[in-house]
Amino acid sequence: MTTEQTVTSEVPASSPARRLRIGQVVAGSLATGLVAALLFAFAPFIRADERAVTGAVLCGFALGWAMLAVLSGRFTDQPQRWAAVPAVLMGVGGLLSVGFGSSVHSVLDWVCGPPPRWRWRSGWSSGSAGTFAAGAGAGCCIR
């Protein structure tokens, strides 16, 4: 007496056939953002001043962060929805910088604050140089 068993594998219609690893999506998104930033910086419609080029680079990086947010949710099991926040902030700052230039510079400086190098210098001058020298980032501090 023999019995035949047939094995059927059913794939749900709602799930895609192939899921990507999150590392692939992150690497692809960041590489795309870097390439877009370089291309936007040299685009012919961008003025050749510091504010416009900085804004164009910010828009390129915003594209990479947006890709990470969208593609990780669509093609992986680990959605990175938080990546939409830097995408929106960089995109808005970049578009304002490209569109309005120097007139929004003071507003963006107020939002972003002083550059980190200024903070490091104030740390060096306040007498806490020993903690900076012993820290892991001692090589990156500028005196």
Side-chain angles (χ1 to χ4, degrees):
M1 209 180 199
T2 61
T3 57
E4 288 186 33
Q5 294 179 349
T6 59
V7 177
T8 60
S9 63
E10 294 183 22
V11 177
S14 64
S15 70
R18 182 172 181 251
R19 302 297 277 180
L20 296 174
R21 288 186 280 174
I22 189 67
Q24 294 171 327
V25 173
V26 169
S29 298
L30 293 181
T32 302
L34 180 63
V35 170
L38 291 173
L39 290 177
F40 287 168
F42 293 109
F45 53 85
I46 299 296
R47 293 182 318 272
D49 65 336
E50 181 184 1
R51 307 282 181 238
V53 173
T54 301
V57 169
L58 281 173
C59 288
F61 287 141
L63 178 68
W65 284 109
M67 281 185 60
L68 176 62
V70 171
L71 295 180
S72 67
R74 177 117 173 117
F75 294 114
T76 69
D77 295 330
Q78 300 171 338
Q80 306 293 316
R81 288 185 284 274
W82 59 268
V85 174
V88 168
L89 292 176
M90 286 184 189
V92 168
L95 289 175
L96 286 174
S97 229
V98 168
F100 298 107
S102 297
S103 60
V104 296
H105 175 65
S106 61
V107 174
L108 292 177
D109 277 348
W110 180 78
V111 171
C112 298
R117 192 171 92 180
W118 178 83
R119 292 184 201 130
W120 290 340
R121 286 186 181 189
S122 67
W124 278 98
S125 63
S126 68
S128 61
T131 57
F132 278 106
C140 69
C141 294
I142 300 171
R143 190 170 185 156

